[in-house]
Amino acid sequence: MKLAPDEMRQRFRARGLKMTPQRAAIYQALAGTTSHPTAEDLHRQVRRQHPMISPNTVYYTLGVLREAGLVYEVNYWHDRSRFDANIDLHHHLICLGCRSIQDLTDEALDRLAVSDRAKAGFSITGHRVEFHGYCAACCRRGRAGRGVGTDERRSDEGSLGVL
Amino acid sequence: MKLAPDEMRQRFRARGLKMTPQRAAIYQALAGTTSHPTAEDLHRQVRRQHPMISPNTVYYTLGVLREAGLVYEVNYWHDRSRFDANIDLHHHLICLGCRSIQDLTDEALDRLAVSDRAKAGFSITGHRVEFHGYCAACCRRGRAGRGVGTDERRSDEGSLGVL
DNA sequence: TTCCTTTTTAGGAATGATTCCTATATAGCA
DNA sequence: TGCTATATAGGAATCATTCCTAAAAAGGAA
């Protein structure tokens, strides 16, 4: 998952973004995990290399990367935004127990279509499927399902995982 | 879309919820629109019948209704939560221009499945598909598409529609 | 109906993620 | 190497949402 510095430079340049040590660290941290961290998670992580980096810079940078299409922002029933450097089409498994998000790649799901009648003038540019349920860890812990859109709070197991 | 008082009473009672004039008004307002209003939208609406109702009551009530499974909460790239009294399985068309949300009913989409291999121990209880693009109004206005997860702000055309 | 207990309501204060503002520092180009 | 536009840090501000509390009301029991 470690992104080559040249590759990163490449991607930034292609979208006319300036490269700074802070941005490199933020993007690197995000590209190096599949845990869909929050801005705060990323700030904690990046602070190890850049002790003076401000949360502000993390928010600003994530905004810039999002506008440039280099990161994707998700917010299902979370109290804050989560980010993903995987911008290839993929889908999500969202745990109603711990609120974790796993990526799901599935060719068949990439090809969904809607009848012209049903979409009634809406012009579709993309889609994504969210599956709800309970992750392996929460199943093991014995999590009976409540409804979707419910408010169980995450038990929070450090959403940056190993790095 | 007007919900019969008896039917509403029925639904509340079935889940052991107390019925109050405020709750009736909030649920009625939500059931009477497909525009996925925010708590604030609902507060503005309900205030017409209940001038003294507090935003607090709206938030609290929506929370109660959500826990009871009577309303669904969504938040894609919005800055606040939006609510939906349609709890039957359905999908969403999300406009990247004005941030509006339309419901989409499609039997085929209701039947998506994932291979056991791909879900790796995740126990799926439900799913929902989000389509991104531009609504008819935004297409007319000539909205060229940017990326998904982008931050165009809604032009805000009173999300409660006619009522 | 009336009483009683529990839950709801309103309102004010608090919380906390995110954004705004600004002076200084730095990237990237000429 | 110098210039200009942009990024950074940090402090203050915003604003949706939640917390706290006293008073009011719902719903069941008598």
Side-chain angles (χ1 to χ4, degrees):
Chain A
M1 284 296 153
K2 188 66 160 60
L3 188 61
D6 290 354
E7 172 59 18
M8 179 155 49
R9 245 198 154 68
Q10 190 71 181
R11 292 187 196 174
F12 274 62
R13 169 158 277 165
R15 326 212 177 202
L17 303 179
K18 282 192 185 176
M19 171 64 73
T20 69
Q22 290 92 334
R23 287 183 173 190
I26 292 165
Y27 187 59
Q28 192 65 255
L30 191 55
T33 181
T34 59
S35 68
H36 304 79
T38 64
E40 192 194 351
D41 292 331
L42 289 167
H43 181 241
R44 251 200 312 280
Q45 169 69 19
V46 167
R47 218 204 294 234
R48 303 216 287 242
Q49 275 81 53
H50 297 271
M52 302 312 289
I53 195 170
S54 74
N56 212 322
T57 298
V58 176
Y59 281 109
Y60 179 76
T61 299
L62 288 169
V64 167
L65 295 176
R66 181 191 55 208
E67 297 307 307
L70 276 177
V71 314
Y72 190 81
E73 178 174 351
V74 294
N75 193 327
Y76 291 102
W77 305 289
H78 304 286
D79 43 5
R80 47 269 206 97
S81 289
R82 290 158 175 259
F83 297 87
D84 192 348
N86 177 5
I87 53 172
D88 298 331
L89 177 53
H90 66 279
H91 309 282
H92 288 136
L93 299 168
I94 304 156
C95 180
L96 301 172
C98 65
R99 302 275 151 177
S100 64
I101 303 174
Q102 290 173 52
D103 286 340
L104 170 69
T105 304
D106 183 316
E107 290 258 321
L109 296 178
D110 297 349
R111 282 193 291 270
L112 301 180
V114 178
S115 76
D116 284 336
R117 200 169 74 35
K119 64 186 181 215
F122 192 101
S123 155
I124 292 175
T125 60
H127 72 274
R128 198 169 285 249
V129 186
E130 49 183 287
F131 287 93
H132 319 131
Y134 292 87
C135 70
C138 283
C139 285
R140 234 177 289 120
R141 267 184 231 131
R143 240 55 176 61
R146 279 211 258 162
V148 145
T150 289
D151 211 20
E152 302 182 44
R153 280 300 163 213
R154 64 170 153 265
S155 44
D156 231 345
E157 40 244 280
S159 41
L160 259 177
V162 247
L163 234 173
Chain B
M1 283 298 154
K2 188 68 160 57
L3 189 61
D6 290 355
E7 171 59 17
M8 180 156 49
R9 245 201 155 65
Q10 188 71 181
R11 293 189 196 172
F12 274 62
R13 171 159 275 166
R15 325 206 180 208
L17 304 180
K18 282 193 184 174
M19 172 63 74
T20 69
Q22 291 92 332
R23 288 183 173 190
I26 292 166
Y27 187 59
Q28 192 65 255
L30 191 55
T33 181
T34 59
S35 69
H36 303 80
T38 64
E40 192 194 352
D41 293 330
L42 289 167
H43 180 240
R44 250 199 311 280
Q45 169 69 17
V46 168
R47 214 198 304 225
R48 303 215 288 240
Q49 274 82 53
H50 297 271
M52 301 312 290
I53 196 171
S54 74
N56 212 324
T57 299
V58 177
Y59 281 110
Y60 179 77
T61 300
L62 288 170
V64 168
L65 295 177
R66 181 192 53 208
E67 297 307 308
L70 277 178
V71 313
Y72 190 79
E73 178 175 352
V74 294
N75 191 328
Y76 291 102
W77 305 290
H78 303 283
D79 42 6
R80 48 279 199 83
S81 288
R82 288 154 176 263
F83 297 86
D84 192 348
N86 176 4
I87 53 172
D88 298 331
L89 177 52
H90 66 280
H91 309 282
H92 288 135
L93 299 168
I94 304 155
C95 180
L96 301 173
C98 65
R99 303 273 151 178
S100 65
I101 303 174
Q102 289 174 53
D103 285 341
L104 170 70
T105 304
D106 183 316
E107 290 257 322
L109 295 179
D110 296 349
R111 282 193 291 269
L112 302 179
V114 178
S115 75
D116 284 336
R117 199 169 74 33
K119 64 187 183 216
F122 192 101
S123 154
I124 292 175
T125 60
H127 72 275
R128 197 168 284 248
V129 186
E130 50 183 284
F131 287 93
H132 319 130
Y134 292 86
C135 71
C138 283
C139 285
R140 235 177 287 119
R141 265 184 232 131
R143 239 60 175 61
R146 282 212 257 160
V148 144
T150 289
D151 209 23
E152 301 181 45
R153 280 300 165 212
R154 65 170 153 264
S155 43
D156 231 344
E157 40 244 280
S159 40
L160 258 178
V162 246
L163 233 173

